[in-house]
Amino acid sequence: MDRNTTEFGLQIISLIVCIAASYLDGGLAAVFNVTGFGAIGDGIHDDTEAFSQAWEAACSNGGGSSSVIVPAGRTFLLSPVNFEGPCYSSNVHFQVLGKIVAPNETDAWKGCVSNSWLHFSDIPGLVLEGSGVIDGRGSPWWKNALHIHKCDGLQLRGLHHVNSPKSHISINKCNGVSISGLNILAPENSPNTDGIDVSESTHVLISDSIIQTGDDCVAINSGSSDIQMTNVSCGPGHGISVGSLGANGSYATVEQVNVTKCNFQGTQNGIRIKTWPGGSGYARNISFEDITLQDVENPIIIDQFYCKGEFKCEDKPSPSAVQVSHVTYQGVNGSSSSEKAIQLFCSESKGCTDIKMQQINITSAIPRAKTYAICKNAYGESSSTSPLVPCLTQLHDDVLGREASAVWV
């Protein structure tokens, strides 16, 4: 098949997709293909202006729904760009079927003020989807590859996100969010490459996604509540984290987080809550259920002495801390690559209260080695838990717990 025939076939596919996308919410939607605004899609010429024009046309369309199409079979080079609302359209679909790549040259980042590459803001009902790829190309010149701000009713699905230098996707001040079917990939040794960061957002569902990064697969930050995660595959990476919270003495809150049916393979951490000494606020009503572990270094960890960089918080006792309470672990099974399967490091000033562990069985990935739990200022109860957690009250005779070691510090 020659090149012209191939390109013609891809154009037909894109046209079919455009026609299908025209029928949204039971009605006819206006379709704005970026190539119709001058986008070349050769991966060399900068198509930012064409994308901006297509967005303006879709956003200003007052006839109902609008759809911006990034067609298949092409690679579009974009400099940092803001897609802003509010829009006249009842909702806007942004369909990525081709590939979007970031520039490598430092000159392309002059004047970038949002610390992000692709920035969507103030667009209620935004749908960002497709089978295409968003490739940050590991550039060191921005903070977040894809930043979404104040987009209530956001739907983000089906996309491939690769090679962000830091956070791949940042969700901030969004309510009623659905994220599904994503594939996020970065090298295991790439620093700060979180998969999905959520902050100051409510009613968020993250499901059916694969995340392989050099940092947290998902991080839930302050101001977030009613966060649901299900069927997320994490690894490599630093696991799923609540926090970090309370940095620099700040007041931070997270509540109503439910992580279920998620699996971790070869991660540094599994399910983690991390808070800085000296902070205040709370992390409460958090549950982890039906969790599968394989060769995870720190499967379960609560760390109220979290520090990074040059800070040495463990050497500086603090009278305050973010209160961690009402945390449930149920049905957590698998293997640990270290002996320390469960670590509950809580502050003397607040402690961690109402911790519940049920049906926990974490064995060593090392033949004939045992696992153990470490406790400090943590209070609650456990049943059928291995390794035994010494600071939690055993509800009944625990056969599993007898087989493992425990340390109470």
Side-chain angles (χ1 to χ4, degrees):
M1 183 180 293
D2 61 28
R3 179 177 178 182
N4 290 335
T5 303
T6 301
E7 291 183 350
F8 178 74
L10 291 172
Q11 291 173 1
I12 291 295
I13 293 173
S14 294
L15 178 60
I16 293 172
V17 173
C18 289
I19 294 173
S22 298
Y23 293 91
L24 303 171
D25 299 323
L28 187 65
V31 175
F32 303 90
N33 192 314
V34 295
T35 58
F37 294 83
I40 298 173
D42 61 359
I44 300 173
H45 294 87
D46 192 327
D47 290 319
T48 306
E49 182 59 30
F51 271 63
S52 296
Q53 291 181 13
W55 174 260
E56 288 297 327
C59 188
S60 60
N61 174 53
S65 298
S66 297
S67 186
V68 175
I69 303 296
V70 181
R74 301 191 187 189
T75 298
F76 298 90
L77 174 65
L78 294 188
S79 297
V81 58
N82 294 330
F83 300 107
E84 298 180 341
C87 294
Y88 290 101
S89 299
S90 57
N91 56 63
V92 181
H93 286 227
F94 197 104
Q95 290 196 318
V96 181
L97 306 173
K99 186 175 184 179
I100 299 175
V101 298
N104 287 325
E105 298 78 12
T106 58
D107 288 345
W109 301 98
K110 290 181 179 179
C112 179
V113 296
S114 64
N115 288 324
S116 60
W117 171 36
L118 306 178
H119 184 91
F120 291 83
S121 63
D122 297 295
I123 314 156
L126 172 67
V127 178
L128 181 56
E129 63 180 347
S131 57
V133 176
I134 296 176
D135 186 354
R137 301 212 288 197
S139 172
W141 308 114
W142 69 92
K143 182 177 180 181
N144 302 301
L146 174 61
H147 182 61
I148 302 175
H149 176 71
K150 289 187 177 179
C151 294
D152 292 350
L154 169 70
Q155 297 181 55
L156 180 59
R157 58 195 181 213
L159 291 166
H160 289 67
H161 299 257
V162 299
N163 298 326
S164 173
K166 291 196 175 181
S167 298
H168 285 77
I169 301 171
S170 173
I171 307 295
N172 174 252
K173 293 187 177 180
C174 298
N175 304 304
V177 175
S178 175
I179 301 173
S180 63
L182 300 188
N183 195 322
I184 300 174
L185 178 64
E188 182 176 2
N189 61 355
S190 56
N192 302 314
T193 52
D194 289 2
I196 303 172
D197 283 345
V198 179
S199 61
E200 299 181 86
S201 297
T202 63
H203 311 305
V204 178
L205 172 63
I206 302 172
S207 65
D208 305 313
S209 296
I210 299 171
I211 305 176
Q212 301 170 304
T213 69
D215 210 307
D216 293 333
C217 291
V218 181
I220 307 302
N221 297 299
S222 183
S224 299
S225 64
D226 189 15
I227 311 297
Q228 310 292 322
M229 277 174 269
T230 183
N231 196 27
V232 173
S233 177
C234 173
H238 292 185
I240 291 176
S241 296
V242 174
S244 63
L245 304 174
N248 300 315
S250 63
Y251 179 82
T253 65
V254 169
E255 61 183 334
Q256 298 177 6
V257 176
N258 183 22
V259 180
T260 182
K261 293 185 174 67
C262 294
N263 66 82
F264 302 81
Q265 183 171 1
T267 53
Q268 183 184 94
N269 307 296
I271 42 185
R272 176 169 62 157
I273 299 173
K274 50 183 179 177
T275 71
W276 290 74
S280 61
Y282 54 81
R284 66 192 183 193
N285 298 325
I286 299 167
S287 66
F288 303 97
E289 303 176 9
D290 296 330
I291 303 298
T292 302
L293 310 163
Q294 182 177 345
D295 296 326
V296 175
E297 186 175 347
N298 302 294
I300 296 176
I301 181 168
I302 297 178
D303 184 5
Q304 285 196 302
F305 303 92
Y306 177 76
C307 297
K308 65 178 181 178
E310 61 185 19
F311 296 97
K312 295 183 178 179
C313 303
E314 66 277 7
D315 297 331
K316 300 176 182 179
S318 175
S320 65
V322 175
Q323 175 70 64
V324 177
S325 67
H326 296 90
V327 182
T328 299
Y329 303 87
Q330 182 169 351
V332 181
N333 297 279
S335 62
S336 173
S337 61
S338 70
E339 296 179 338
K340 298 179 291 185
I342 300 174
Q343 303 171 67
L344 307 179
F345 293 121
C346 303
S347 71
E348 293 183 8
S349 62
K350 291 290 186 179
C352 303
T353 60
D354 293 301
I355 308 300
K356 294 183 179 181
M357 292 193 176
Q358 301 172 329
Q359 301 295 327
I360 311 297
N361 187 17
I362 305 174
T363 60
S364 176
I366 303 170
R368 295 181 296 279
K370 292 184 177 181
T371 58
Y372 64 88
I374 301 177
C375 274
K376 182 177 182 180
N377 303 314
Y379 308 94
E381 58 190 33
S382 69
S383 64
S384 300
T385 296
S386 176
L388 185 70
V389 186
C391 55
L392 303 183
T393 302
Q394 304 300 304
L395 294 183
H396 53 73
D397 186 33
D398 196 335
V399 176
L400 285 173
R402 288 182 178 184
E403 303 297 325
S405 303
V407 179
W408 196 346
V409 295

